[in-house]
Amino acid sequence: MQLTPGQVFHHRWCAAMAARDAVALRDLHHPDAVLLSSSTGSVRSGAERIAADYAQLFATAGAVTTTAVEDFTDLGDTIRVESVVSTAFARMLTYDVFALDEGRVRVHVTGTILPRPPAPAPAQHAVPTPGQELHRRIWAATDARDAAALRAVYAPDAVQTVFGGVVRGADAIARGTWEGWQHGHATRLKAVTAFTDAPQAVCVEGVAGVEVQDTRFEVAYYQVFLVRAGLVTHSVTGLVSPRPAELRQGLDRLADARLKAAQAITLGMAMRVPRTW
């Protein structure tokens, strides 16, 4: 079986975590790597500092073992992993987004899906940080259904994960979003529950209201933006609640109910049509 560079990296990462090998983890990072933790709201810079934090984690919780991978999205230079990890004291479903450069980490964003930790309140700033301003621009364009303003947020070669696939290129991202609006799809931000940012990345956890034609529901989500020169190069989104399988089942049940309703209406109309014989 041929492994991608992203898969090779993840295998090495998991092995180092299970072996409590902080030195190996340090070597998996570029010297100026950045780690953002949505669970704690912390930002760590530099491979040595990040490795020291891992050493402290191992001293407290022991080995961190990956027991299952629920989702692995390979974007080439970036991977998103949702995995079940276990320590001597806890079992968690986590998400990790790694921006890689020659097999080593440039940016790592991590958070917990289940159980949900008490996330730190998003910091309030008199002057918005670049990450906060970027987030505001994205939602302002979304609320206004302004595809041009949304397009301006992304780098030309940007990559976006969407439910069930990947969209590549700022033009394709803006066009796909605009087409969704035309088909009655809309998303409204209802709350930001966690916000962590650095010049290289933004991590948001929140609650959004989603409208698909005449159906409305809420989702809790996480979204990671990787940033270069003030523009989004990667937008990676995942569901916290409902989980993807639960959402698919719900939408399938809704589609079945609509089909049955349409069939019942059609049958009723047929029974009322005057017959000539």
Side-chain angles (χ1 to χ4, degrees):
M1 180 178 66
Q2 186 71 30
L3 298 179
T4 67
Q7 290 171 322
V8 170
F9 164 82
H10 189 244
H11 281 295
R12 294 174 64 193
W13 174 270
C14 292
M17 295 290 284
R20 297 187 290 180
D21 192 340
V23 174
L25 288 166
R26 180 199 65 198
D27 294 342
L28 284 174
H29 291 75
H30 282 274
D32 59 351
V34 177
L35 168 64
L36 288 77
S37 171
S38 184
S39 299
T40 63
S42 63
V43 178
R44 296 287 185 265
S45 299
E48 293 291 346
R49 174 64 185 277
I50 293 169
D53 281 358
Y54 279 117
Q56 184 176 3
L57 170 65
F58 298 145
T60 303
V64 180
T65 305
T66 300
T67 57
V69 173
E70 291 201 356
D71 179 84
F72 190 97
T73 305
D74 195 332
L75 303 175
D77 58 351
T78 299
I79 60 173
R80 186 267 300 276
V81 188
E82 293 182 354
S83 53
V84 179
V85 299
S86 299
T87 69
F89 308 103
R91 184 174 183 269
M92 298 167 288
L93 176 60
T94 64
Y95 65 85
D96 293 275
V97 176
F98 297 95
L100 304 175
D101 182 359
E102 297 183 345
R104 292 195 294 169
V105 179
R106 282 288 185 191
V107 180
H108 177 197
V109 181
T110 184
T112 303
I113 297 173
L114 291 172
R116 293 294 292 156
Q124 301 296 318
H125 299 275
V127 178
T129 66
Q132 290 171 328
E133 180 61 22
L134 176 67
H135 186 250
R136 185 203 64 78
R137 289 177 60 198
I138 290 170
W139 278 105
T142 301
D143 289 341
R145 298 195 175 190
D146 187 339
L150 191 64
R151 163 65 179 80
V153 171
Y154 291 92
D157 58 348
V159 180
Q160 179 190 61
T161 66
V162 294
F163 186 62
V166 176
V167 181
R168 296 182 181 274
D171 290 336
I173 293 170
R175 183 172 60 253
T177 304
W178 183 85
E179 290 173 354
W181 292 334
Q182 301 310 301
H183 287 86
H185 302 171
T187 306
R188 301 288 184 187
L189 179 64
K190 304 195 77 170
V192 172
T193 56
F195 193 99
T196 310
D197 64 326
Q200 306 90 335
V202 178
C203 182
V204 187
E205 294 184 5
V207 177
V210 180
E211 181 177 342
V212 181
Q213 296 179 347
D214 60 347
T215 301
R216 295 176 177 84
F217 53 92
E218 287 189 359
V219 297
Y221 70 95
Y222 66 86
Q223 191 164 29
V224 174
F225 301 105
L226 300 180
V227 182
R228 180 184 66 223
L231 298 176
V232 175
T233 62
H234 297 75
S235 173
V236 181
T237 304
L239 291 174
V240 173
S241 177
R243 294 292 294 145
E246 296 169 341
L247 181 58
R248 285 192 191 93
Q249 290 172 359
L251 293 176
D252 288 345
R253 286 195 297 268
L254 177 63
D256 289 343
R258 285 178 171 168
L259 177 60
K260 290 177 181 177
Q263 290 172 336
I265 292 171
T266 302
L267 178 60
M269 291 176 64
M271 293 176 68
R272 290 193 297 272
V273 172
R275 301 186 185 277
T276 58
W277 62 87

